[in-house]
Amino acid sequence: MSDTDKTQQHSAEDYEKRYQQGYGLVYPESHIIRFHRHILEWELKVDSGKMFDFGCGSGAHPKYFSDHGFIPYGCDTSATAIEQCRVLMPAYAHHFSVTAPVTPNLVSLTSEGTLAVFLSNQVLYYLDDSGIRDIVRQAHLMLRTGGVFAVSMMSYSCWYARYITGEQGDFKKVEMDTPRQKMTSFINFKHRDALEPLFQPFRKLHLGSYGSHIREEEGSTDHWFFVGVKG
């Protein structure tokens, strides 16, 4: 197993432990709701179809989209999280799959050219650039013409970057030791100008950001949010 594969395996095992300990969203995050309401509904007039969530966790975002006219699909490396998805959405239980942390085969999970939306929220930065490009390639195959690709990446202005202690390939090693969080992560941080080339061949529709700063000693949780369209 290569160092990169070990890094991605570390992230998958870390999140499996978190889900077993009760980690996971109960409600959709505000930027996902705004993406749905401001871009899909208002701007693009997309209000139905298949949506796929890469790294769906316990299912809060697929459930939100299923409640608003979409047919949800998703995958995650955590078996615990996928079981939670299936309980949350029993009518679509067979639409959720456990996938490998390295080179997952997503195209086999839906028919090619049928998705309206491909979403990946706060997940892709646990992959190296090669892994990200592979997900982009598969997403392009899975989406229909005019389909929407929406993903987030961690910014260097996120407070996590304060705790970078080294690097390994495309990843920065982050060793956090704060009263609230004690963990080691490997994160593929990105500057804004790196995203559009990374997400080709999708045509950029929007490249914005989101974040919050709740605890003054921690700093902002800045992430980029890229929305592209399949031509």
Side-chain angles (χ1 to χ4, degrees):
M1 183 180 289
S2 70
D3 287 343
T4 294
D5 290 353
K6 290 177 182 177
T7 297
Q8 293 172 195
Q9 182 69 37
H10 167 87
S11 296
E13 291 173 354
D14 178 47
Y15 272 89
E16 173 61 19
K17 291 177 183 176
R18 295 190 199 190
Y19 281 109
Q20 290 179 3
Q21 294 168 358
Y23 177 86
L25 294 175
V26 176
Y27 305 105
E29 296 196 74
S30 61
H31 62 278
I32 299 299
I33 296 173
R34 289 183 173 91
F35 159 66
H36 167 238
R37 298 299 299 274
H38 300 179
I39 298 177
L40 292 180
E41 278 194 344
W42 180 80
E43 182 175 0
L44 299 177
K45 306 298 187 287
V46 175
D47 59 7
S48 62
K50 294 181 181 179
M51 70 80 60
F52 188 95
D53 188 350
F54 174 65
C56 61
S58 50
H61 294 141
K63 180 65 165 62
Y64 170 81
F65 279 95
S66 73
D67 289 343
H68 289 82
F70 290 83
I71 301 170
Y73 289 77
C75 70
D76 203 282
T77 60
S78 168
T80 300
I82 290 300
E83 181 56 30
Q84 292 170 355
C85 282
R86 292 169 176 165
V87 171
L88 184 64
M89 292 167 280
Y92 298 111
H94 60 295
H95 288 186
F96 294 93
S97 303
V98 179
T99 47
V102 181
T103 61
N105 183 353
L106 307 184
V107 177
S108 65
L109 304 180
T110 65
S111 302
E112 289 188 23
T114 61
L115 292 182
V117 178
F118 183 101
L119 173 69
S120 186
N121 183 58
Q122 298 180 189
V123 173
L124 286 186
Y125 46 75
Y126 293 113
L127 304 179
D128 65 352
D129 285 359
S130 176
I132 292 172
R133 291 190 181 98
D134 182 60
I135 298 303
V136 171
R137 177 189 62 81
Q138 294 191 67
H140 197 264
L141 289 173
M142 296 161 73
L143 283 161
R144 67 194 187 195
T145 300
V148 182
F149 174 81
V151 298
S152 61
M153 292 291 289
M154 193 177 290
S155 167
Y156 276 99
S157 62
C158 179
W159 73 286
Y160 278 33
R162 297 178 188 172
Y163 296 91
I164 293 173
T165 60
E167 60 183 49
Q168 185 173 300
D170 296 323
F171 297 104
K172 297 293 187 286
K173 186 176 184 180
V174 176
E175 296 183 281
M176 302 186 73
D177 186 5
T178 72
R180 190 175 68 88
Q181 295 197 81
K182 300 181 188 300
M183 65 180 187
T184 298
S185 295
F186 295 88
I187 297 174
N188 190 349
F189 291 90
K190 289 299 179 193
H191 294 293
R192 188 181 193 278
D193 58 6
L195 296 183
E196 193 169 352
L198 185 62
F199 297 139
Q200 290 180 354
F202 290 105
R203 174 179 61 84
K204 178 179 72 69
L205 183 65
H206 295 288
L207 178 46
S209 63
Y210 65 90
S212 61
H213 189 165
I214 305 300
R215 295 180 62 89
E216 63 274 13
E217 78 278 13
E218 292 187 352
S220 179
T221 59
D222 291 344
H223 284 66
W224 303 114
F225 197 74
F226 176 93
V227 180
V229 177
K230 178 177 177 177

